[in-house]
């Protein structure tokens, strides 16, 4: 059973000055009896959300509205400053466009290693299924990721992360990098999760995309949920 | 997603192994370059310094070879652990994998690389020092202390280096000084000056001597071993305290 429960959660980001990031400077200041603490920016401001099996929510809002921070709280990457986060179930996060992979390794070796990270045994069949899903040319299979474009890597990571069927899948501004053809394929896979009691949350600037794959859309502004929209007839759902 | 300690250790060794494989993928000798490099360095420096210190080659070479190997291991592990999290920022911040994995991987990677360089001092010790298996058994507890202390300190430094950006440079300078004041190039017996007793204030002396003395000279001292174990336990305690803060580290990366 999967669950994400955020109870009145606050997240404050430390914003340290260059002096506060310096060990020597901090040490000297302490010895002089001075102590300066980094200031904070409130990224998430009193948010409560409860996601139960089958939940598919979209997070929509301008840059800096707190979409990524909220996803990182849900993933347990950031601990809340105040409030409580409960999470049950195997969770996979695809956040940021930073590439969570070793680009020196081949596609094949990355698949094997990343599956192990997810706690899944990389059987030959699974590795093959993942590669097929990417629809990339076979000649890239044993090439290092240095030869891959960003879109190609996104296809690969999406395929790796969704193949073992995570109980909780969290995605950031993400499908925007791959081409239309792959987006529809990805959407189809995400919709297929509905019956499997998983939780899915995605952040995007693209309201049209969110309406296509989500049941509910939360509108964020300044770290607060300002509006909620229930998508009438979620496609395929 | 947040694996336990043992899972993180296992994963870190897999990461370390694949990193080494990719690092040496395009070289003919592969990671055995490390062995060759070590042999060349030890031969050159050994031949030079035994004359400088005016001691026999048999007395100097095994000591220097094994001390240098372990010093390089210690120093590289500490320095690389301080880059581990920034180098793997997307893995921790975007994919949510435990920071433990990448901190332990710096240790694991250096264990594996050092293992490739190990034949050089091993042969020298067996041939020139005439050490037996018994010596090795006596050295084992000291070796464990050394490894535990290295792993624990690298873990703490790896976390602190994320919070303080100038921390790595500070440790780099400290390590350079530590190399000089720790008996790696020289042995305390080379200098019969009582004023040098100050060197025994350096904890690294005990972490090295606890296994090096039984291994090379066949001398086993309970006091040295007890001190090295106490140092290792202190380091471990610091790492356990630091690990409580590890959950907050992603926000600083």
């Amino acid at each position: 059973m999967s669950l994400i429960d955020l109870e009145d959660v606050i997240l404050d980001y430390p914003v340290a000055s260059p002096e506060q990031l310096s060990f020597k400077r901090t040490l000297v200041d302490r010895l002089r009896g001075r102590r300066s603490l980094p200031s904070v920016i409130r990224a998430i401001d009193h948010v409560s959300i409860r996601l139960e099996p089958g939940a598919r929510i979209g997070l929509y809002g301008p840059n800096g509205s707190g979409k990524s921070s909220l996803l990182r709280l849900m993933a347990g990457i950031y601990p809340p400053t105040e409030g409580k986060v409960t999470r049950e179930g195997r969770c996979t996060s695809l956040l940021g466009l930073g590439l969570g992979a070793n680009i020196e390794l081949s596609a094949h070796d990355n698949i094997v290693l990343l599956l192990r990270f997810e706690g899944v045994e990389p059987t030959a069949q699974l590795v093959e299924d993942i590669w097929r899903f990417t629809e990339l040319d076979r000649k890239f299979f044993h090439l290092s990721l240095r030869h891959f474009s960003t879109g190609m890597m996104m296809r690969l990571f999406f395929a790796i992360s969704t193949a073992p069927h995570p109980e909780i899948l969290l995605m950031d501004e993400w499908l925007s990098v791959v081409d239309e053809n792959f987006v529809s394929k990805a959407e189809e896979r995400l919709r297929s999760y509905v019956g499997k009691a998983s939780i899915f949350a995605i952040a995007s600037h693209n309201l049209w995309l969110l309406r296509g794959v989500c049941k509910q859309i939360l509108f964020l502004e300044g770290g607060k949920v300002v509006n909620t929209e229930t998508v009438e007839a979620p496609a395929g759902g | 997603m947040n694996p336990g300690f043992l899972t993180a250790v296992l994963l870190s060794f897999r990461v370390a192994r694949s990193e080494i494989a990719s690092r040496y993928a395009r070289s003919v000798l592969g990671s055995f370059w490390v062995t060759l490099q070590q042999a060349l360095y030890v031969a050159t420096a050994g031949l030079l310094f035994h004359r400088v210190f005016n001691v026999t080659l048999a007395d100097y070479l095994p000591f220097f070879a094994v001390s240098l190997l372990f010093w390089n291991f210690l120093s590289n592990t500490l320095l690389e652990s301080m880059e581990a999290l920034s180098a793997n920022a997307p893995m921790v911040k975007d994919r949510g994998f435990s920071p433990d994995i990448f901190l332990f991987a710096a240790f694991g990677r250096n264990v594996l690389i050092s293992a490739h360089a190990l034949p050089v001092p091993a042969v020298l010790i067996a041939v020139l020092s005439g050490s037996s298996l018994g010596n090795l058994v006596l050295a084992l507890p000291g070796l464990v202390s050394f490894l535990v202390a290295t792993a624990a300190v690298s873990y703490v430094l790896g976390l602190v280096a994320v919070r303080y950006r100038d921390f790595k440079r500070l440790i780099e300078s400290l390590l350079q000084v530590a190399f000089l004041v720790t008996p790696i190039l020289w042995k305390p017996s080379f200098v019969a000056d009582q004023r040098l007793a100050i060197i025994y204030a350096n904890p690294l002396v005990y972490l090295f001597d606890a296994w090096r003395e039984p291994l090379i000279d066949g001398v086993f001292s309970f006091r040295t071993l007890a001190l090295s174990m106490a140092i290792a336990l202190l380091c471990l305690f610091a790492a356990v305290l630091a690990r409580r803060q590890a959950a907050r580290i992603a926000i600083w990366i």
Side-chain angles (χ1 to χ4, degrees), chain A residues 14 20-24 26 72 75 77-79 87 91 93 95 99-100 104-105 116-118 146 161, chain B residues 1-2 14-15 18 22 26 90-97 101 163-167 170 247 250-252:
Chain A
Q20 287 162 337
L21 286 172
S22 159
F23 185 80
K24 281 176 268 184
T26 307
R72 288 199 172 91
I77 297 170
Y78 292 162
R87 191 183 55 259
C91 173
S93 323
L95 310 177
L99 301 171
E104 291 300 320
L105 294 182
R116 289 229 160 90
F117 270 100
E118 306 278 4
R146 275 183 293 123
S161 311
Chain B
M1 163 161 273
N2 291 310
R14 286 194 195 281
V15 171
S18 66
S22 67
R26 281 176 292 275
M91 296 293 255
V92 177
K93 239 183 128 131
D94 296 335
R95 304 300 315 274
F97 299 131
I101 299 169
R163 172 64 180 82
Y164 296 106
R165 303 295 151 90
D166 60 344
F167 194 65
L170 181 75
I251 220 161
W252 288 97

Side-chain angles (χ1 to χ4, degrees), chain A residues 3-7 50 74 84-88 168:
Chain A
L3 171 80
I4 294 181
D5 192 16
L6 274 63
E7 292 170 61
R50 188 178 168 87
M74 290 179 180
K84 198 174 154 213
V85 176
T86 314
R87 191 183 55 259
E88 287 165 22
I168 300 171

